[in-house]
Structure formats: C-alpha cells, structure tokens
C-alpha cells in the first residue's frame, strides 16, 4: 500500500514539474499567436485542478455546482390592501377589513378567492418596475376606486399593528423595505364608500323582477339593459381632451350617469307594472326665478302655481295605483314630518351617497380664530376668501380654551346661525331671509356669506340649520318658485307665531267651528299677509297655500338669488343636484327631536334632589323615552312653545300640588316645566301627561 502511494506521488511530482517547465517556457515566449494563448489557458486550468482553494461562505455551492437556496427571479408575489382613510394610524380590525373589501376597497379582486377562504392568490409584481409602473398597477387593481384622483402612498404594519408609511423609489425598493409583510395602500384623501345594498332591498328587487315577467315589462327590461350597456361601453357623448383634469371630470360624469340609469331601472322594476309604466308629468310646470320675474303679474303666476305640484325627480303613475309616499304629514296641532320605517334605510343610504360625493372635495385643514361676541363679523371676514370652501376647519375661540376635534366647528356654525337668524331672517320656527330695504345695498355681501356657510356646513357636519325654512331651501337649490302644497303648509305652520298656528290649524280642521272673533282674527291675518279676500271654508286651503308661497318663496326670492350664486359649482354638481324633495325632507327629519336629544336638553334647577323629586324626575325621563314623534312634538310645544329642540335647553322644577290641582305647568318664556311630586306611579304620570297633551285645553297650563 505504501509502495503504491509512492508511485502515485512520483507521477504527480513529474506532472507538476512538466507543468512548471511549460509555464516558464510560455512566459519567456513573447509571440501573440493564438495557439500560445490556448496553451497558457490549458496550463492554468490544469494547475487549478491540483490546487486547494478557500471559498467564501457567501459563494458556497451545492454538490451540483450551484448556489444553495431559491434563486431570486424577476417576479415578486405579495398581498395588497387598500385603506379608506388618510389618517389611519393602526391596522383596522378584521370586521372593518371585511367591510372595506365588500365595498370595493381592501383586498384587490385579483387576490379574492372564489371560496370562503380569507385570502386567495397573491398579486404579481415585477421587480424591475419603476415607481410609476407600480402605481399604475395598483390603480388597475382597484378599478372602482378613483386612486388617480386621490393619490396614495405605501405603508407597512409594525409592532402593535401600527402603520408606518414608506418612501420608496421602485418596486425593488418596496420589496426590500416591506419584506414578507402585507403592503397597505393609504390614500392621500379619504375615499367615500359606496352604499351597501341591504338584503331586504335585494330580496324585494328579486320579487319584483319575478312578478313583472310579462311581455311589456320584459320589453322594458330589454330596452333599459341595452341603454345601460351602451352607457357602460362609453357611448355617452364621446369627448376628447388633452387636459387630464377635464378627462377625469368627463369620466366621473359618465359614471354618475351610469349609476342614475341603473337606479332608474331598479325603480321601474320595483314600483311599476306593464299597465302603468311611469311617464314624466308633462303637465307639471316648474317655474324658475327668471320666468317669474318676466311674468306680467305675480297674481296670475301664483294662481297657475296653485294648480301644480313641485316635482324634481319623481315619476307619476296611474291615479288608481299611486306610488307609496315616503313621507306622511301628521295633521296635528304641531306640524311634523314622519318617515315610513320601510323607506327609512333607503333614504339614509341615498343621503350618505350624496354626502360622500361632497366629501371627496375636502382638502387639508385651516385654522380660523373668532370671537364669540363678534361671530357674524368674523365669519363674514373668513368667508370673504373663496379658498376657505372645501377646507377642514380648526376653530379657535379667542379667550377660550379647547382643541377642535369637530365640536368647536359645530359650535362656530351654531353660533353663526343663531346670530344670523336674528339679524337677517324672520319667522318663528321656519325662518326665511329678510332684511330692511335700507340694507339692500349690502344684501349681496350678506347673503353670499350665508350661501357659502350653508354649503360648507353641509360638507363638514352633514346637516343643515334646522330652523332654515325647508321650502326656501328647495327654492334656492332648484331655482324654482313652485313648491309642493303640503310642504308649503307644513313649513308655513312653523313660520307663523304660536297663536297664528293654532288659529290656522283649527280653520283647516273645522272651519265651521270658528267663532266670530276667530274669523275676525283670520280676516286680519289675511290682510296683513296680502290676501285681500274673505276667507271661506271652500277655498281656505288653496288661499293659505298662496299665502305660504308668497311668504316663504316669492318675497325672499331676491335674497335667495345671492345665496344660490354663492354655493360653489362643485358643491352644486356633487351634492345639491343629487337631492330631491324627499331627501331634503329627510335631511330635516334627522334634525327633529328624538328621545335621546330631548333627554340631553333637560336639566333640573337644583343639583341635589330630594327623594320624592328624584322619583318624579325619573317618571318624566321614562315618559320621554316612551312617546312617539307626534307626542314628542306636542310635549316640546307644550313646554317651549315650539315643536323643535330649544337652543337653551329645558329646566325642570318641582311643585307639591295634589288632588284636583295636580298638573304639570309649563313656562314657555323660560322653557321651564313644573312637575308635581305627588304621583303614586309612573303609570299615573304618563296617563295625566298624555291626557293634557291630547286635550283641546292643553295649552291653558302654559304660562
């Protein structure tokens, strides 16, 4: 064995010697012949075979001569997730993540599985993409979301589910920073969510489609589907523009028209049959302000208006099958608007959709400083700058402490409207613009601010001032002088004083029961309001409608023009033009008093109550929680003289009346209610309170 090793060693030694000799000869040879280079290469390769070498750990290879581990390709698979809000600090909870995905955000469609699994496949990204190419890929992954308008950034989740925004330059840079985690897409502006359709509504639509399967309805469905398909194919007025902003606007306009066409189809299938396919009311006349000013006489115009109804986007049907009205007007001493519960959710969804269009226009915040005792002048100064529109407000009341998280902004608007209603409006609980004639030179400056504040308040707080007359707002928004007669009467009852309201309501319900003195007061009321005729039972309602239209619409029309002109065109297109009479009424309905709102208004005159007073106060709160909307309005009317929520609250005091003298006593001047402490049970309290509110002599206990 040792001899064999010596022989092998001798062979190797001779071979190495030959190699060294050949190498030395090549070095001494200076020719550039190609064979010399081949020989040198052969020698070096042969030498390398017999030389041990040290290999860097990063270059270690496997048995087959390749690097260990998976080689990195040019494709990268990862998960994306689109958030809704710009200011998200933490990853939303799972329920919120699911809700976002259902509404077109969250997980992109390419990652959503067909099964019930939480996540499906991954999005495929090329590592060689630039930042622009990556952004285009994200926009294409969410086709229903206007990311090209809002802009977005990338973020990752760190410890504690806290989101950390990333500053990247390419797809490869993003992979380096994100690792194996999920990529969160944070929009630069909040994205409004589309409204999810309820299961009940989808079921109703399915039933309507099944029920309406006759030939006429089928033909109508085919026509509507063809029209909707044309809309989806981009056949709505082909436009070309080199301006990307104009192109985005046209695209958004087409999307809105597609949505309107789809909604029209659903309404047709839900409400109509083949015998009464809806037709536009050709006989319904909509009069705008310019036509009214050009009319020969206001009197003739009012007579014509009295025969027509204000309809914006409603369909008329056959008289034998009228469509269900979403609003019912309660014929009571205190006019209120009530909603059918079956349509409450639908109206809420439509209103939220309209507000979401307005939210898209919001920009970064701006800080404003005001003094509470000069709020009118300060707001006029602030809104003299047109750029304040679409800005979020951070309000600072000078001399007061507090940070604005939305509450001070609401306080600013409330303070403004409280002062403006005193200075620039008239009416009791439904106010209309009115200033002295000697101030008409300043009318445009004054009511331009009113229009800007009105629209900005809707954008920020999603509400309107509840005492702003609804009929006047309809006239402003839709540029018309013809309002539905029921809406006019309901608003006019809130516009007049409490004694006038009681007189007019009695005349509407039972004109024959008016006493001689009441008829005399009614004649005086006519004369004061420009109706120079004798009231009669036959024509009283029509005459009262004309008076209401003159007071709520015609007289303030000059000032209403300035309010309408001040509303930004972007707001008018995105929000106000999407509303109709029912939605505006629902907007006011949201401001109507509820049990929770009334309970927040009431306070006791003393903080420390006696045991019997504590019991009586508990009875009152229990009563407020149990009444319906009509009784709530009657209760507020009894206590404050108005069916609306009082601005300065309600004070509760206690008395010791008992026996036949026991009764609640209301002091409407100070919004104070006296309640006895001698009730034996909560049932006794409720029976007596309801008896008083429903009695014809109820308001004899008001002081």
């Amino acid at each position: 064995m040792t001899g064999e090793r010596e022989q092998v060693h001798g062979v190797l030694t001779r071979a190495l010697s030959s190699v060294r000799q050949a190498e030395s000869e090549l070095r001494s040879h200076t020719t550039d012949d190609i064979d010399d280079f081949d020989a040198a290469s052969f020698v070096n390769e042969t030498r390398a075979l017999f030389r041990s070498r040290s290999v860097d750990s990063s270059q270690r290879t496997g048995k087959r001569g390749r690097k260990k581990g998976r080689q990195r390709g040019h494709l990268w698979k990862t998960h994306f997730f689109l958030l809704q809000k710009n200011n998200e600090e933490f990853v939303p909870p799972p329920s919120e993540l699911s809700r976002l995905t259902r509404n077109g955000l969250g997980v992109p469609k390419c990652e959503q599985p067909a099964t019930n699994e939480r996540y499906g496949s991954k999005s495929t990204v090329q590592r060689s993409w630039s930042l622009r190419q990556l952004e285009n890929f994200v926009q294409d992954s969410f086709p229903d979301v206007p990311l090209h308008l809002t802009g977005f950034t990338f973020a990752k989740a760190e410890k504690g589910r806290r989101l950390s925004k990333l500053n990247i330059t390419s797809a490869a840079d993003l992979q380096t920073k994100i690792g194996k985690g999920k990529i969160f897409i944070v929009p630069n502006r909040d994205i409004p969510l589309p409204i999810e359709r309820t299961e009940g509504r989808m079921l109703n639509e399915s039933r309507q489609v099944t029920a309406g399967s006759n030939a006429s309805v089928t033909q109508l469905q085919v026509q509507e589907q063809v029209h909707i398909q044309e809309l989806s194919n981009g056949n709505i007025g082909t436009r070309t523009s080199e301006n990307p902003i104009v192109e985005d606007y046209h695209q958004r306009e087409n999307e809105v028209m597609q949505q309107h066409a789809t909604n029209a189809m659903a309404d047709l299938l839900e409400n109509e049959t083949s015998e009464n396919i809806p037709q536009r009311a050709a006989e319904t006349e909509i009069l705008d302000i310019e036509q009214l000013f050009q009319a020969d006489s206001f009197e003739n115009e009012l007579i014509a208006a009295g025969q027509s109804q204000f309809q914006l986007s409603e369909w008329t049907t056959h008289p034998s099958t009228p469509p269900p009205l979403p609003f019912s007007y309660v014929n009571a001493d205190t006019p209120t608007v009530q909603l059918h519960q079956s349509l409450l959710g639908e109206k809420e969804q439509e209103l939220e959709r309209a507000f979401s269009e307005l939210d898209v226009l919001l920009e970064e915040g701006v800080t404003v400083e005001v003094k509470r005792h000069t709020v009118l002048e300060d707001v006029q100064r602030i809104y003299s700058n047109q750029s304040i529109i679409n800005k979020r407000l951070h309000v600072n009341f000078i001399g007061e402490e507090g940070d604005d998280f939305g509450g001070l902004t609401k306080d600013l608007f409330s303070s403004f409207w409280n002062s403006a209603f005193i200075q620039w409006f008239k009416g009791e609980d439904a106010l209309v613009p009115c200033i002295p004639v000697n101030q008409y030179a300043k009318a445009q400056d004054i009511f331009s601010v009113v229009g800007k504040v009105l629209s900005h308040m809707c954008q920020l707080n999603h509400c309107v001032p509840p005492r702003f007359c609804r009929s006047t707002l309809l006239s402003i928004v839709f540029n018309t002088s013809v309002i539905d007669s029921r809406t006019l009467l309901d608003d006019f009852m809130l516009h007049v004083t409490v004694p006038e309201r009681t007189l007019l309501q009695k005349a509407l319900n039972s004109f024959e029961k008016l006493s001689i003195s009441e008829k005399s007061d009614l004649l005086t009321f006519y004369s004061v309001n420009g109706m120079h005729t004798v009231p009669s039972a036959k024509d009283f309602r029509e005459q009262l409608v004309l008076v209401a239209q003159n007071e709520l619409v015609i007289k303030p029309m000059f000032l209403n023009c300035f309010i309408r002109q001040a509303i930004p065109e972007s707001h008018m297109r995105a929000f106000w033009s999407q509303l109709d009479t029912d939605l505006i009424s629902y907007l006011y309905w949201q401001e109507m008093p509820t049990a929770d709102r009334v309970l927040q208004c009431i306070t006791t005159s003393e903080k420390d109550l006696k045991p019997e007073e504590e019991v009586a106060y508990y009875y009152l709160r229990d009563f407020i929680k149990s009444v319906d909307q009509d009784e709530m309005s009657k209760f507020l009317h009894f206590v404050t003289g108005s069916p609306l929520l009082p601005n300065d609250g309600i004070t509760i005091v206690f008395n010791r009346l008992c026996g036949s003298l026991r009764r609640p006593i209301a002091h409407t001047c100070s919004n104070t209610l006296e309640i006895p402490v001698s009730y034996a049970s909560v049932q006794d309290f409720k029976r007596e309170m309801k008896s008083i509110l429903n009695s014809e002599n109820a308001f004899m206990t008001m002081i």
Side-chain angles (χ1 to χ4, degrees):
M1 191 70 178
T2 305
E4 292 179 358
R5 288 183 179 178
E6 291 178 354
Q7 290 178 2
V8 173
H9 182 69
V11 172
L12 293 177
T13 302
R14 288 192 295 271
L16 289 175
S17 299
S18 300
V19 170
R20 293 192 185 96
Q21 182 180 358
E23 184 179 6
S24 62
E25 292 177 357
L26 288 173
R27 290 177 181 174
S28 62
H29 195 65
T30 57
T31 181
D32 294 334
D33 192 273
I34 187 63
D35 295 335
D36 295 338
F37 286 103
D38 291 341
S41 177
F42 171 75
V43 170
N44 289 332
E45 291 179 2
T46 304
R47 182 182 180 184
L49 293 175
F50 296 95
R51 176 182 294 175
S52 61
R53 52 183 178 172
S54 60
V55 181
D56 185 70
S57 60
S58 62
Q59 300 295 328
R60 293 185 184 275
T61 60
K63 294 181 179 180
R64 297 184 180 180
R66 64 175 183 176
K67 295 181 181 180
K68 293 182 178 180
R70 182 183 300 175
Q71 292 186 353
R72 172 173 293 185
H74 66 283
L75 297 180
W76 168 38
K77 293 187 177 182
T78 185
H79 287 298
F80 287 94
F81 195 94
L82 176 58
L83 300 175
Q84 178 197 3
K85 298 184 179 298
N86 169 254
N87 58 351
E88 291 280 12
E89 295 184 2
F90 296 89
V91 177
S95 58
E96 177 67 11
L97 298 180
S98 300
R99 186 179 72 90
L100 293 177
T101 302
R102 290 196 306 270
N103 285 275
L105 281 68
V107 180
K109 292 183 179 180
C110 62
E111 296 184 26
Q112 296 180 16
T115 63
N116 294 326
E117 298 175 7
R118 185 173 181 181
Y119 299 110
S121 60
K122 296 182 179 181
S123 298
T124 303
V125 178
Q126 295 187 19
R127 292 187 176 88
S128 59
W129 278 351
S130 64
L131 179 58
R132 182 58 183 169
Q133 291 173 316
L134 179 61
E135 291 176 345
N136 291 338
F137 173 78
V138 172
Q139 294 174 13
D140 294 340
S141 299
F142 299 94
D144 299 330
V145 183
L147 290 176
H148 61 292
L149 299 177
T150 62
F152 59 91
T153 57
F154 297 99
K156 68 176 181 178
E158 296 182 338
K159 291 183 178 180
R161 299 174 64 85
R162 181 181 293 273
L163 291 174
S164 175
K165 294 185 179 180
L166 304 175
N167 185 16
I168 63 171
T169 58
S170 63
D173 188 19
L174 177 61
Q175 184 185 15
T176 302
K177 295 182 178 181
I178 205 71
K180 297 183 179 180
K182 183 187 301 182
I183 303 173
F184 289 93
I185 304 169
V186 182
N188 294 342
R189 290 189 297 178
D190 292 353
I191 300 174
L193 286 181
I195 305 304
E196 292 183 290
R197 303 171 75 182
T198 62
E199 295 181 0
R201 177 172 174 81
M202 295 173 65
L203 180 61
N204 290 336
E205 291 181 356
S206 176
R207 291 175 177 174
Q208 292 292 340
V209 171
T210 304
S213 58
N214 54 55
S216 300
V217 174
T218 303
Q219 182 179 4
L220 178 61
Q221 295 176 3
V222 173
Q223 294 175 355
E224 288 295 333
Q225 290 291 353
V226 171
H227 178 58
I228 294 172
Q229 183 64 31
E230 292 176 353
L231 294 177
S232 62
N233 292 335
N235 296 331
I236 310 173
T238 304
R239 306 179 178 93
T240 59
S241 173
E242 296 180 356
N243 189 338
I245 298 178
V246 175
E247 292 178 355
D248 289 340
Y249 168 71
H250 288 161
Q251 180 182 359
R252 188 174 185 83
E253 184 180 23
N254 288 343
E255 293 174 356
V256 172
M257 295 179 69
Q258 292 179 31
Q259 183 64 34
H260 286 180
T262 305
N263 293 342
M265 179 63 181
D267 292 340
L268 289 172
L269 295 176
E270 183 175 356
N271 297 328
E272 304 302 330
T273 62
S274 59
E275 289 77 16
N276 57 356
I277 296 176
Q279 305 271 339
R280 282 292 181 185
E283 68 278 4
T284 301
E285 183 180 5
I286 304 298
L287 304 176
D288 59 14
I289 294 177
E290 288 77 5
Q291 293 175 347
L292 186 63
F293 281 139
Q294 294 173 2
D296 295 334
S297 66
F298 284 116
E299 182 177 358
N300 294 335
E301 198 70 35
L302 287 174
I303 294 175
Q307 304 299 325
S308 60
Q309 298 293 323
F310 179 57
Q311 297 185 2
L312 296 170
S313 60
E314 299 176 347
W315 299 91
T316 58
T317 57
H318 193 275
S320 61
T321 56
L325 293 176
F327 294 95
S328 60
Y329 295 80
V330 180
N331 188 13
D333 292 339
T334 56
T336 59
V337 182
Q338 290 189 339
L339 232 64
H340 288 294
Q341 294 296 324
S342 60
L343 296 178
L344 181 62
E346 179 182 350
K347 292 301 173 184
E348 183 178 1
Q349 291 181 359
E350 293 178 7
L351 192 60
E352 287 182 2
R353 186 183 298 111
F355 276 126
S356 67
E357 295 291 332
L358 201 57
D359 291 339
V360 174
L361 303 175
L362 279 173
E363 301 174 359
E364 59 183 6
V366 60
T367 301
V368 297
E369 294 186 345
V370 296
K371 295 180 180 178
R372 198 173 289 276
H373 63 280
T374 59
V375 65
L376 276 182
E377 294 79 3
D378 291 340
V379 171
Q380 283 182 290
R381 169 181 51 81
I382 293 170
Y383 282 89
S384 62
N385 184 0
Q386 185 68 24
S387 64
I388 195 69
I389 302 295
N390 294 331
K391 300 283 188 182
R392 289 184 173 87
L393 297 183
H394 300 287
V395 180
N396 178 27
F397 283 95
I398 298 177
E400 301 180 15
E401 296 182 357
D403 295 327
D404 188 6
F405 296 100
L408 292 181
T409 299
K410 294 180 181 179
D411 194 2
L412 171 65
F413 287 130
S414 298
S415 300
F416 168 79
W417 287 113
N418 288 339
S419 300
F421 284 151
I422 295 174
Q423 299 291 332
W424 304 331
F425 288 75
K426 73 170 184 177
E428 196 73 15
D429 297 312
L431 289 83
V432 299
C434 180
I435 57 174
V437 177
N438 63 321
Q439 295 185 16
Y440 269 30
K442 302 178 181 178
Q444 184 171 4
D445 295 336
I446 292 174
F447 289 96
S448 293
V449 172
V450 171
K452 295 175 185 176
V453 174
L454 174 65
S455 193
H456 202 194
M457 178 181 180
C458 265
Q459 185 180 35
L460 297 180
N461 294 347
H462 292 186
C463 67
V464 295
R467 299 181 66 195
F468 197 107
C469 179
R470 178 179 43 162
S471 297
T472 305
L473 182 61
L474 289 169
S475 174
I476 292 170
V477 171
F478 301 106
N479 195 26
T480 183
S481 62
V482 181
I483 310 296
D484 178 76
S485 60
R486 292 178 301 178
T487 304
L488 283 171
L489 283 181
D490 209 56
D491 293 344
F492 191 62
M493 289 298 182
L494 293 173
H495 176 73
V496 299
T497 63
V498 175
E500 290 173 337
R501 187 182 304 162
T502 304
L503 176 63
L504 297 177
Q505 194 65 55
K506 184 175 181 180
L508 283 172
N509 294 338
S510 54
F511 189 90
E512 297 78 7
K513 294 183 180 181
L514 292 176
S515 64
I516 297 177
S517 61
E518 289 173 335
K519 290 182 178 180
S520 177
D521 292 340
L522 191 59
L523 183 61
T524 304
F525 174 83
Y526 267 33
S527 178
V528 169
N529 289 277
M531 178 62 71
H532 301 291
T533 185
V534 177
S536 62
K538 179 181 179 181
D539 302 325
F540 178 70
R541 189 181 187 280
E542 289 73 15
Q543 293 169 350
L544 191 59
V545 168
L546 295 181
V547 173
Q549 187 171 28
N550 185 52
E551 291 294 321
L552 304 182
V553 180
I554 304 301
K555 284 186 177 180
M557 189 174 296
F558 172 69
L559 305 177
N560 290 347
C561 290
F562 299 129
I563 298 177
R564 177 180 172 83
Q565 292 171 3
I567 297 177
E569 184 63 27
S570 59
H571 286 206
M572 188 66 71
R573 181 174 60 251
F575 176 71
W576 296 106
S577 62
Q578 308 298 321
L579 305 182
D580 56 21
T581 309
D582 291 340
L583 284 181
I584 291 181
S585 296
Y586 176 75
L587 191 59
Y588 277 86
W589 179 86
Q590 287 184 317
E591 301 296 319
M592 293 178 66
T594 62
D596 291 337
R597 296 171 185 169
V598 174
L599 289 175
Q600 292 176 3
C601 286
I602 64 174
T603 57
T604 57
S605 58
E606 301 291 336
K607 293 183 179 180
D608 297 326
L609 301 180
K610 298 179 180 179
E612 63 271 21
E613 294 174 347
E614 192 74 43
V615 172
Y617 186 57
Y618 170 80
Y619 290 168
L620 174 64
R621 294 177 63 86
D622 188 84
F623 169 79
I624 293 174
K625 294 177 183 178
S626 64
V627 298
D628 58 23
Q629 188 65 54
D630 188 19
E631 290 175 330
M632 183 68 74
S633 297
K634 290 181 179 180
F635 172 76
L636 289 175
H637 190 191
F638 172 73
V639 178
T640 67
S642 167
L644 302 179
L645 286 172
N647 294 327
D648 49 356
I650 299 173
T651 303
I652 307 299
V653 297
F654 304 91
N655 61 45
R656 266 65 182 174
L657 299 177
C658 58
S660 60
L661 297 179
R662 187 184 69 181
R663 68 196 188 281
I665 301 175
H667 304 265
T668 57
C669 295
S670 58
N671 293 345
T672 301
L673 175 65
E674 290 187 33
I675 56 176
V677 297
S678 53
Y679 292 104
S681 65
V682 66
Q683 288 75 20
D684 279 345
F685 180 87
K686 290 182 178 180
R687 279 193 294 268
E688 187 162 304
M689 181 64 75
K690 289 185 177 182
S691 175
I692 291 176
L693 296 181
N694 294 320
S695 172
E696 295 182 356
N697 300 322
F699 299 100
M700 293 180 61
T701 57
M702 297 192 324
I703 299 177

